[in-house]
Structure formats: C-alpha cells, structure tokens
Amino acid sequence: MPNKNLSNLLDSAQTAQRIPVKNLSPVTSSGKIHIREQKGQLQQLRTGINGLFLALFFLLPFISYEGRQAILFDLSQQQFIFFGTTLWPQDFTILAWVFITAAFLLFFITVFWGRIWCGYLCPQTSWSFIYVWIETRIEGSRNKRYALDKAPWSVDKLKKRLLKHIAWATIALFTGCGFIAYFVPARDLYLDIFSFGASFWVTAWVWFFAICTYLNAGWMREQMCLHCCPYARFQSAMFDANTKTVTYDASRGETRGPRKRNEPSSLGDCVDCNLCVEVCPTGIDIRNGLQYECINCGACVDACNQTMNKFGYPANLISYTSENSLAGKAEPFYESYKFLAYGIAALIMVSVIAVDIYNRNSIELNVLRDRQSLYRETVDDNIENSFTLKIRNKTQQTRLYRIYVSGSNAYQLVGEANLTIKPGEQLDYPVTVLAKPELLAGTRNEITFTVAEQHNYSQISQQSSFFAPI
C-alpha cells in the first residue's frame, strides 16, 4: 500500500512538471509548411536582392569580352576564362583561396548579422520563395492551399496542381540551363536544349540540375535548411552577445494574449496573432527564442510590425537586435575577439590572393631533355644537346615570344628563336643548343632557358642540364 501511494505521488509530480505544448506550426498532415505571403520593408529588400542575384545568375554568361564569353569554365580545354584572364588547372589555387576568403567573410558577417546570408542571398531560399510565389498565384493564399491539400481530387484541383508543377518544371529547366551556361557557350546552349540539338552529356547535366532545383525548391524547401545545410549547425558557434539576429523581445511582449483593438489591456504587446509563425519559411515560432532553424529572412519582423501598427503599439517587438541591446548594454563590436579573428583571417586570405595573382605568369614553360642521348659531338668538334620546350600561352590573345639561353658558358641556340603562339595553345618546340667543349666546366653544366613575350615585360625561365663527354 505505501508503495502504491508513492507511485501515485511520483506520477502526480511528473504530471505537474510537464509543460503543455501548443502546436503553432502551419504544417499540414502531409508535413508540408504553407507560408503566408508577407509584404513589408524587409521583404521588399529581400525581393530586390534576390531579383538582382537572379538577374546576374542568368545574364552573366551572355556578357562578351574581347569576342569571347566573359565567364566560362571550359572543361574540355581545362581552362577558366574570367574577363580576359585565363586560369589553368595549375592556377586553380587562386580559386581555392577565393573560396576560403569567401568562407571567412561569411563568418565575419555572421558575427554581426547572424544567418543573414541564408535569408537574403542563399540560392535555396531565393528559389524556394519563387516557387512559393508561383504556388500562391495558382492555388491561392495559405488557407486556400491548406484546404486544397485536404480536399478530394477533382478537375479543379488536378488543373491547379498540373499548372503549378508545369510552372515549377519550366523554372527548373531554365535554372539548369543557366547553371550549365557557365560551362558551355551560353548563346548556343538554350537554342540547342530547346531544339533538342544538344549533346547527350550537356542535356544530361542540364536536366540533372533542373531536377535538383525542382526537388529542392518545390518539395524539400525548409528540409534543406533544417537537415542538409551544414551552416545551420555550426553558425551558432560564431554568435556572441553583440550579434544582431531576429529576436523577440519577451520582456515587452509577455504575457501574450488576444485582445481587441483600442482596448486597454494588462497583457504584454504580443497579441498572439500567430502571424510570425505563419510567414516563417521554416515553420518555427521565434517567440520561443533563438533557434538554429531561423534563416533571418525578416518575414516575422514585417508581420509583427504590421500587427503592432494596427494595434497602435511601438514597432519592432520582433526585430534584428542583439543580446546586449536587449539588456541595455552598449559594447563596441570591435572589441569582440571573434571580430578580430575573422577580420584578420579575411585580410590574410585577401593578401594571399593578391600575392598569388601578382606572381602569376601569363607564360608556362616546361623544359624536357632528349632522353635518347645525353649529348652529341658535331663534325666541327662542338657539343650539342637537344631539348623540347613546352610553352603555353595562357592569355586569350595571340602572342609573340623569343627564346633565350644562358649559363656559365657560351651557349648557342640552333634554329628559330622567335615564336608565335595562339591563345591557350601549348606548343611543343624542339631546340638544339651548341657549346664549345673547352668552355664547359665539366660533364654536367647548368643551362637556363628563358621565354620572353615581345613588347611586354612578361617572361619565364627554367633551368636544365647540358651534358658533355668526360
């Protein structure tokens, strides 16, 4: 009997400790989040940035420079063309430094504005909002879409769903073309794809990225942000007390509760309208505090300010603010060790890129000796060695070059020393070098080949060995 009373007492205590959970997430029974369309200053800013980003994404491949596509990853020729500069595989360390620098700049911005990249510039967010916009135009508002999901299949429902998915697929196909246009000539790609004249591999890659876009933006959406994106998991490690992120002012908003307009209330400013949840693309309730799912898009800020304006309350119950700001503290951001660390790291990376670009040469030279014989003696008792010079013109213009040989001995180059090399071409040029045996210091002598661009200061040198008899 005492054991039974103890068990009942424990059950009662556990029941008393349970926190009631109110399901505020606008999720259908199928698990899909239906976003309420929201307007406001931040959404106008986000739409403008997304529009600029999309315009650049689709139009950049059509920009020409010096008669060629300005930006092109030419995989068949193993070169990356960027506005007159050609990067070859051996130059891709520059791209690596660029990506590393971009990462540190992202971390640097995150210290101040949190996950702002995700809300305003991330392609996943941009395309998801485009797909939601199309869905809203065809199927109606959030409530209508929710009702359409629950409604039995009919001709009207089939028509709306078919039209929506056709629009999604069209956007996805153009997106696939837009991405591949950076790898094959853009002016021919669209015509070849839509006239079914493209090669198998080009068509396959276009459709691969089209399918990825269709699935990511149309079906997965917030699942990519919640479960697939690694940035969502580690971005909180970069936050500090001065990081401005979308935050609910609980001291002002609680205790929340509904009320009528222009009616005195002892409650907090939050009227529990739930709009901040309904407009959230990841379906969270920002009033529960900082959450890794928040992408800082500002939709809840605009929705809350809209409600505050209707009730005559001050704006920014939900706003971009920091922990110190909420607490009334004013600490300079530049005193943060994270600010210094990421800032210094970004400056170092930019310096490395600058040095790498400065030291980059527009000529590539590789000297190969003739492996069949170390040396040959001529009829006039001179010694000759044969070499093959692999010279690459890394520019996008035809260049004139001159070959020089130098060393501790009087070397003489046999053959034509002036060369013309086409853009991006690698020329295998065999040369023969003569030397008088009495001027050679030993059996193995140093020799330097220099290839210099005429009418320019660009040149490159490489050492090799000149062999002679004992």
Side-chain angles (χ1 to χ4, degrees):
M1 190 70 175
N3 292 336
K4 184 176 181 180
N5 292 335
L6 179 60
S7 177
N8 292 336
L9 183 61
L10 290 174
D11 290 342
S12 300
Q14 291 175 356
T15 302
Q17 291 175 358
R18 292 195 185 107
I19 300 175
V21 177
K22 183 179 180 181
N23 184 13
L24 298 177
S25 180
V27 183
T28 67
S29 58
S30 62
K32 180 179 179 180
I33 294 178
H34 287 286
I35 308 171
R36 181 186 293 274
E37 193 172 41
Q38 179 60 44
K39 297 181 180 179
Q41 293 182 350
L42 293 176
Q43 298 317 292
Q44 290 177 354
L45 175 63
R46 180 190 56 76
T47 302
I49 293 175
N50 288 169
L52 177 62
F53 166 76
L54 289 171
L56 290 175
F57 172 75
F58 284 107
L59 295 180
L60 279 179
F62 289 95
I63 298 176
S64 297
Y65 185 82
E66 296 181 348
R68 303 185 64 176
Q69 185 168 319
I71 302 176
L72 179 65
F73 288 88
D74 193 343
L75 299 181
S76 62
Q77 299 297 324
Q78 297 183 350
Q79 57 183 336
F80 170 41
I81 301 170
F82 185 80
F83 287 94
T85 301
T86 304
L87 298 180
W88 299 86
Q90 57 270 30
D91 299 320
F92 275 15
T93 52
I94 297 177
L95 289 181
W97 294 128
V98 169
F99 289 135
I100 294 173
T101 303
F104 277 110
L105 288 176
L106 177 62
F107 301 159
F108 185 70
I109 293 173
T110 302
V111 172
F112 298 104
W113 289 100
R115 204 174 168 183
I116 203 74
W117 158 266
C118 299
Y120 291 84
L121 280 173
C122 177
Q124 174 67 24
T125 303
S126 301
W127 263 264
S128 294
F129 273 109
I130 291 174
Y131 274 45
V132 170
W133 184 87
I134 293 173
E135 190 174 49
T136 303
R137 303 285 84 76
I138 295 174
E139 296 184 353
S141 64
R142 171 186 173 270
N143 292 334
K144 291 181 179 179
R145 298 198 306 273
Y146 182 83
L148 187 64
D149 279 350
K150 298 171 64 176
W153 281 98
S154 63
V155 175
D156 182 63
K157 180 175 181 178
L158 181 61
K159 186 192 303 182
K160 289 182 178 179
R161 288 291 164 86
L162 187 61
L163 183 59
K164 178 183 73 173
H165 287 287
I166 290 175
W168 282 3
T170 302
I171 296 295
L173 181 58
F174 274 98
T175 302
C177 291
F179 187 81
I180 298 301
Y182 288 90
F183 297 88
V184 299
R187 298 181 185 274
D188 300 327
L189 173 65
Y190 287 87
L191 181 61
D192 291 342
I193 287 294
F194 290 101
S195 64
F196 303 100
S199 67
F200 169 80
W201 285 111
V202 170
T203 304
W205 281 111
V206 166
W207 279 103
F208 171 78
F209 285 104
I211 292 172
C212 289
T213 303
Y214 175 78
L215 293 177
N216 290 346
W219 293 90
M220 296 188 69
R221 292 184 186 171
E222 76 285 346
Q223 301 302 320
M224 293 294 296
C225 302
L226 301 183
H227 306 298
C228 300
C229 178
Y231 184 54
R233 299 294 179 177
F234 65 76
Q235 47 92 19
S236 59
M238 290 167 269
F239 287 7
D240 60 22
N242 289 312
T243 301
K244 293 183 180 295
T245 185
V246 175
T247 307
Y248 167 69
D249 189 351
S251 61
R252 174 187 153 191
E254 300 298 328
T255 302
R256 72 185 77 157
R259 79 287 312 264
K260 294 181 180 180
R261 298 184 190 179
N262 302 320
E263 180 181 273
S265 174
S266 60
L267 299 174
D269 285 355
C270 179
V271 300
D272 205 16
C273 64
N274 206 41
L275 284 179
C276 58
V277 180
E278 294 178 1
V279 301
C280 180
T282 57
I284 67 169
D285 189 342
I286 194 63
R287 296 171 295 182
N288 293 334
L290 180 63
Q291 299 156 70
Y292 81 89
E293 296 93 342
C294 177
I295 62 172
N296 273 22
C297 66
C300 58
V301 177
D302 284 331
C304 187
N305 284 341
Q306 173 184 303
T307 300
M308 294 296 102
N309 182 56
K310 290 179 179 179
F311 279 82
Y313 296 156
N316 295 328
L317 175 61
I318 301 175
S319 64
Y320 286 96
T321 188
S322 66
E323 180 182 338
N324 280 337
S325 296
L326 284 178
K329 301 177 182 178
E331 295 185 6
F333 62 86
Y334 51 81
E335 292 184 0
S336 169
Y337 73 92
K338 292 183 180 180
F339 165 82
L340 297 175
Y342 292 130
I344 292 173
L347 288 176
I348 292 174
M349 291 298 105
V350 171
S351 302
V352 169
I353 292 175
V355 171
D356 209 349
I357 292 177
Y358 179 78
N359 292 329
R360 179 181 175 272
N361 205 312
S362 61
I363 314 169
E364 181 182 327
L365 173 64
N366 190 16
V367 179
L368 302 178
R369 283 191 47 81
D370 184 1
R371 296 184 179 181
Q372 294 183 356
S373 61
L374 291 178
Y375 63 89
R376 290 185 298 273
E377 297 184 40
T378 65
V379 293
D380 52 357
D381 295 329
N382 287 330
I383 306 299
E384 68 176 20
N385 282 201
S386 296
F387 303 86
T388 298
L389 306 184
K390 291 183 175 291
I391 309 171
R392 184 187 292 277
N393 175 9
K394 296 169 66 176
T395 70
Q396 297 181 33
Q397 298 81 31
T398 299
R399 299 294 191 189
L400 300 177
Y401 300 97
R402 184 171 181 83
I403 303 172
Y404 300 91
V405 289
S406 60
S408 58
N409 306 288
Y411 296 115
Q412 180 183 354
L413 183 67
V414 179
E416 180 61 46
N418 296 319
L419 303 173
T420 300
I421 306 180
K422 297 178 181 179
E425 179 185 8
Q426 177 175 289
L427 181 65
D428 293 350
Y429 189 67
V431 296
T432 299
V433 179
L434 290 178
K436 296 183 179 299
E438 62 270 17
L439 298 179
L440 297 174
T443 59
R444 184 169 184 169
N445 306 269
E446 287 187 358
I447 182 173
T448 301
F449 290 87
T450 300
V451 178
E453 183 181 341
Q454 295 187 14
H455 313 299
N456 200 315
Y457 294 104
S458 180
Q459 66 178 34
I460 188 171
S461 300
Q462 184 173 332
Q463 287 187 343
S464 188
S465 297
F466 188 96
F467 287 94
I470 301 176

